[in-house]
Amino acid sequence: MSMMQDGGGCPANHRAGLEEILARYARQPAHLPLVIQKIHELLGHVPDDVLPRVADVLQVTLADVYAAVYQHLLARKPAGQHVIYVCEGTSCYLRGARQILEEFVARLGVQPGETTPDGLFSLEIGRCFGACALGPVVVVDQEVYPRMEPQKVVALLEKYRQEARPACH
């Protein structure tokens, strides 16, 4: 069952909000980028199963919809409540970023680009946050953690687990 059919198990206002966006811009292909952006703002991503409906309602091709999502670099999968970036820019990499990334992989059970099954964490690789002198750097939800070490990973994850809010599945 797709999100369009069941709302993805998330609040009803998401389903209603999605339908409101589509109704507002129906048969207006020039508004495709705006519609995609509004869906992303509402849901935090642009789910694949919504794309055919967008194409149908706006009267554009499915390829146009995919292109709009890609062009604007919008997520097509939901991110975790907390997004962890491990910098692998040159300076951070030379200071041990790979070992830190490996520790996150081991502790979370996911690879970079994936989200934990509970929806709490997404793990990503960053390519420089401009804090090279403070490396290796980890960024969680835009908060910078300088001079990170593998042995600090457990405490960092625990901090964010304690702050977790219930996930919408």
Side-chain angles (χ1 to χ4, degrees):
M1 186 177 285
S2 75
M3 183 177 150
M4 287 302 297
Q5 294 166 330
D6 75 352
C10 289
N13 64 337
H14 284 188
R15 188 177 30 228
L18 181 61
E19 289 305 322
E20 181 181 314
I21 292 166
L22 293 174
R24 177 184 231 177
Y25 298 101
R27 296 177 304 283
Q28 298 180 52
H31 287 99
L32 175 59
L34 177 63
V35 168
I36 293 297
Q37 185 64 43
K38 287 186 173 291
I39 291 170
H40 191 270
E41 289 170 7
L42 175 70
L43 303 175
H45 69 293
V46 183
D48 285 341
D49 61 347
V50 170
L51 303 182
R53 176 113 168 93
V54 171
D56 185 50
V57 171
L58 270 67
Q59 298 180 339
V60 297
T61 68
L62 187 55
D64 289 336
V65 178
Y66 274 101
V69 173
Y70 179 77
Q71 180 181 3
H72 294 283
L73 301 175
L74 300 176
R76 289 178 36 213
K77 297 179 188 172
Q81 288 181 30
H82 303 289
V83 180
I84 301 167
Y85 287 91
V86 178
C87 178
E88 281 204 334
T90 303
S91 181
C92 288
Y93 186 84
L94 292 173
R95 291 183 174 153
R98 177 53 59 161
Q99 291 79 15
I100 294 163
L101 179 64
E102 289 171 359
E103 187 67 19
F104 276 111
V105 167
R107 298 293 176 172
L108 295 173
V110 297
Q111 295 296 315
E114 297 178 345
T115 299
T116 56
D118 63 4
L120 190 55
F121 296 105
S122 288
L123 182 61
E124 300 289 344
I125 293 175
R127 294 290 179 212
C128 188
F129 298 108
C132 301
L134 302 175
V137 171
V138 169
V139 177
V140 182
D141 301 340
Q142 300 179 359
E143 186 170 341
V144 176
Y145 293 89
R147 297 182 179 89
M148 192 63 174
E149 300 171 5
Q151 60 268 29
K152 294 179 182 178
V153 168
V154 172
L156 183 64
L157 291 173
E158 187 56 34
K159 171 188 176 202
Y160 284 95
R161 280 189 177 106
Q162 290 176 3
E163 297 174 3
R165 62 187 188 278
C168 135
H169 294 285

